[in-house]
Amino acid sequence: MTESAAAATLLAEARALTDAQLAEVAADFGRRSDRLGGAISYALGTIGKRIRPALVLACYRACGGAGPGIARLATAVEIIHTYSLVHDDLPCMDDDTRRRGRPTTHVVFDAAIATQVGYLLVPVAIGVLCQATEEMGLSGPTHQAIARDLLAASGIGGMVGGQWLDLVAEGRVLDPADLTAIHTRKTGALIQAACLVGGRAAGAAEPTLRAFASFGADIGLAFQVADDVLDATATTDQLGKTAGRDVSLQKSTYVSLLGVEGARAEAGRLAAGAIAGLQRAGVASTALVSLAHYIVQRQS
């Protein structure tokens, strides 16, 4: 199987497993009669690439994990990602009207409801995480470590802090170090956490967990660099969200600093470094290598 085929197969599996779990959670909220329940169900029903769940699966399996409960754990990570998208699109944030090919949650409902949806999805994710770790028979310390990883990635030291720095930086020209500091938290933190969650669930040793953390940090930045390129070069239909928002919001991006070709080269460098780090640590995973290449070569 070629690398591209391996990535496509894993992503298709991650989508099928995660979407089935998300549908169950969304159905529970959809049965409520209030608008908030409907809005939570709507947010959870968006169709995505499921890269973060795929990373959970790949890291889990790279360490010998084989239990079906990993699908629920991967879903907890995707629910955290969904919360970040709902809040990222709010009028007080990036004020975007489309996400994943359909109107954003605040457009369909309103900003107040969407704000509530975002912060309520965090405890929803932790509830799913608790179900997963119990189903998998994970120890108390392992459960706690997984929860810490996920909550740290979603909070002020991760996505919340990165989003705040990103908003403050609008209209300013950042240097590469400041831009990297933003996206290490805003984008990279949850991607890194997905790798750690998969490894911890499989009982990975500390050297392997450190390798996963480094891999996740590198491909997390590579993901953002590739996103910046796509925002500058792809269409709204291709992206499923409004193209060209970085320019309209006067954001510093890897494209504005490096140019399109320079940014593409930087994404490739980061992916290559991530793969080399796994090899140095003795982690053999065709799935992780294929995902690293997919992240920088994707068209949406």
Side-chain angles (χ1 to χ4, degrees):
M1 183 183 294
T2 65
E3 275 187 2
S4 59
T9 298
L10 179 59
L11 287 165
E13 181 188 9
R15 278 193 297 273
L17 293 172
T18 305
D19 288 357
Q21 298 282 338
L22 288 171
E24 289 183 14
V25 180
D28 287 341
F29 285 100
R31 283 189 282 270
R32 290 172 38 168
S33 60
D34 61 314
R35 293 181 74 235
L36 181 58
I40 293 173
S41 180
Y42 180 84
L44 291 171
T46 56
I47 304 300
K49 291 180 285 292
R50 310 308 189 208
I51 289 174
R52 292 155 190 81
L55 287 166
V56 174
L57 295 177
C59 289
Y60 179 67
R61 291 169 181 170
C63 300
I70 194 64
R72 197 181 300 275
L73 199 52
T75 301
V77 175
E78 185 64 20
I79 293 173
I80 291 290
H81 180 49
T82 302
Y83 125 69
S84 74
L85 299 181
V86 171
H87 275 187
D88 194 50
D89 291 332
L90 285 169
C92 61
M93 301 286 188
D94 285 353
D95 193 16
D96 214 333
T97 60
R98 293 194 68 77
R99 172 72 69 174
R100 292 174 165 176
R102 66 178 189 165
T104 48
T105 304
H106 75 268
V107 169
V108 177
F109 296 88
D110 58 44
I113 290 288
T115 301
Q116 293 179 72
V117 167
Y119 66 67
L120 287 173
L121 284 176
V122 177
V124 170
I126 296 305
V128 172
L129 182 152
C130 290
Q131 291 176 323
T133 57
E134 182 178 359
E135 179 183 339
M136 298 175 76
L138 300 182
S139 68
T142 299
H143 165 87
Q144 292 164 12
I146 288 172
R148 278 197 303 271
D149 287 337
L150 199 52
L151 289 171
S154 64
I156 191 66
M159 293 188 298
V160 170
Q163 176 71 358
W164 178 74
L165 290 172
D166 190 43
L167 290 171
V168 170
E170 287 181 3
R172 295 168 48 206
V173 177
L174 302 181
D175 62 31
D178 287 338
L179 190 60
T180 296
I182 290 172
H183 292 302
T184 294
R185 295 163 77 171
K186 182 178 177 180
T187 305
L190 188 60
I191 287 175
Q192 183 183 62
C195 297
L196 287 170
V197 165
R200 290 193 196 281
E206 281 302 319
T208 301
L209 290 175
R210 287 195 295 271
F212 284 163
S214 179
F215 175 84
D218 282 342
I219 63 165
L221 278 179
F223 185 98
Q224 182 60 52
V225 178
D227 248 19
D228 287 356
V229 171
L230 288 169
D231 185 75
T233 61
T235 67
T236 296
D237 286 343
Q238 287 174 311
L239 295 177
K241 60 182 180 180
T242 308
R245 290 293 288 163
D246 291 338
V247 172
S248 64
L249 292 170
Q250 296 182 297
K251 290 179 181 283
S252 283
T253 69
Y254 289 97
V255 169
S256 67
L257 292 182
L258 305 174
V260 169
E261 293 308 315
R264 283 181 174 143
E266 176 66 6
R269 185 192 68 80
L270 287 164
I275 293 166
L278 289 182
Q279 293 170 340
R280 287 193 298 271
V283 178
S285 173
T286 300
L288 288 172
V289 171
S290 67
L291 283 173
H293 285 143
Y294 167 82
I295 280 169
V296 299
Q297 294 169 359
R298 61 199 165 89
Q299 300 301 307
S300 66

